[in-house]
Amino acid sequence: LDYTRYLVLSSREEELWYEFAAVCVQFVEPGDNGKIRDELVRNPLNWWKKWRDLLGNSISELRAYSVIAEMLALDTLYKKDHTIKWTAIEAGSHDIESSDESFEVKSTIQRYGASAVISGQHQLQSKKRLWLYFCRLEKSQLGVSINDLAEQLVTDGYDKELLNKQLYQLGFEYGSSIRNVKYKILENRKYSVDDKFPSITNNSFVDGHVPNAITQIQYTVDLDGLDYTIW
C-alpha cells in the first residue's frame, strides 16, 4: 500500500482564528528556492517546537506526566475490573470510579518528598471506599508515553475510540507529538483514605457542611509518614 504523510494544523479557538491564520501563512510559505518548505518537510516537529517556544505553549508538556500517571492507574485497575471508568475527563470528584470504589491519582516529577494537593472539600470524600494513588515519575527514553499506555489499554480491552476521545478532551489529540514523550515510573504508592488519613471534608465542620461563605478549599497533604502499599 502507498501512504501519504500529512502535517495538520488545527485550532479549536474560534476567537483566535486570525492569529492562527498568521501561523498557517508562515507554514505554507516555500521560501527562496523552496528552502523553508524543504526544511519543514525534513523536520516538521522542529518547526512546531520553534512556534511553541515563541508562543509559550508548555501547558500540555507540563501535564503529560499527570495523564500518564492516571493512565497507569487506569490500566492497573481495568485489568481486574472492566467496569472501571476514567471519570477525570468528566470533571468528576475523583479520577477513576468503579461500582464500589473511588480512586484519586496524584503525581509528581519532584525527586524528593511526597505530597498531594487536594483541590476542594469533595476530593477526599466518597460514599464508596476511597483510595489515593501516588506516582513519582521522571522524563526518560526508558519510560512509557501516552501512546504506549493507550496501546496497552486497548490490548487489555479498553475501547480505543472512547480512549482517543477522552485524550482529545484533555488536549492530547491523536497524532500530537506530546503523546510520544516518555516518563519512567520511580515510585508507586497506594493510600487508603480512611479515618486515619488527614483530610478536610464536609464532616470537618460544624453541622456537617462547609460554611456558606467558603466556596472552595485547597490544601496540601504530606504523604510521608502515612501507611501505604505499592500498586
Side-chain angles (χ1 to χ4, degrees), residues 132-145:
L132 188 146
Y133 278 39
F134 174 81
C135 188
R136 192 188 309 278
L137 310 96
E138 71 174 6
K139 189 178 290 187
S140 170
Q141 286 302 313
L142 301 177
V144 293
S145 66

Side-chain angles (χ1 to χ4, degrees), residues 80-97:
K80 302 174 183 178
D81 181 3
H82 277 27
T83 65
I84 286 286
K85 293 183 179 181
W86 193 8
T87 47
I89 313 302
E90 304 163 3
S93 296
H94 307 110
D95 296 317
I96 302 172
E97 296 279 0

Side-chain angles (χ1 to χ4, degrees), residues 55-93:
L55 300 176
N57 181 18
S58 59
I59 296 175
S60 292
E61 188 154 357
L62 289 174
R63 292 178 53 242
Y65 73 87
S66 63
V67 174
I68 286 175
E70 289 184 23
M71 293 178 74
L72 281 167
L74 178 66
D75 186 51
T76 299
L77 295 166
Y78 190 79
K79 288 177 181 177
K80 302 174 183 178
D81 181 3
H82 277 27
T83 65
I84 286 286
K85 293 183 179 181
W86 193 8
T87 47
I89 313 302
E90 304 163 3
S93 296

Side-chain angles (χ1 to χ4, degrees), residues 12 26 38 75 96 101 119 170 196 201 217:
R12 296 191 292 259
Q26 198 273 340
D38 290 341
D75 186 51
I96 302 172
E101 292 180 304
S119 302
L170 287 173
K196 298 179 182 179
T201 66
I217 297 172

Side-chain angles (χ1 to χ4, degrees), residues 210-226:
V210 177
N212 293 332
I214 297 177
T215 58
Q216 184 179 4
I217 297 172
Q218 180 172 300
Y219 58 99
T220 301
V221 176
D222 185 357
L223 299 175
D224 285 329
L226 301 179

Side-chain angles (χ1 to χ4, degrees), residues 178-193:
I178 192 63
R179 289 177 51 147
N180 289 316
V181 176
K182 295 178 180 288
Y183 283 85
K184 180 171 63 176
I185 292 80
L186 300 178
E187 184 180 17
N188 286 341
R189 301 183 185 182
K190 175 181 175 182
Y191 297 85
S192 175
V193 182

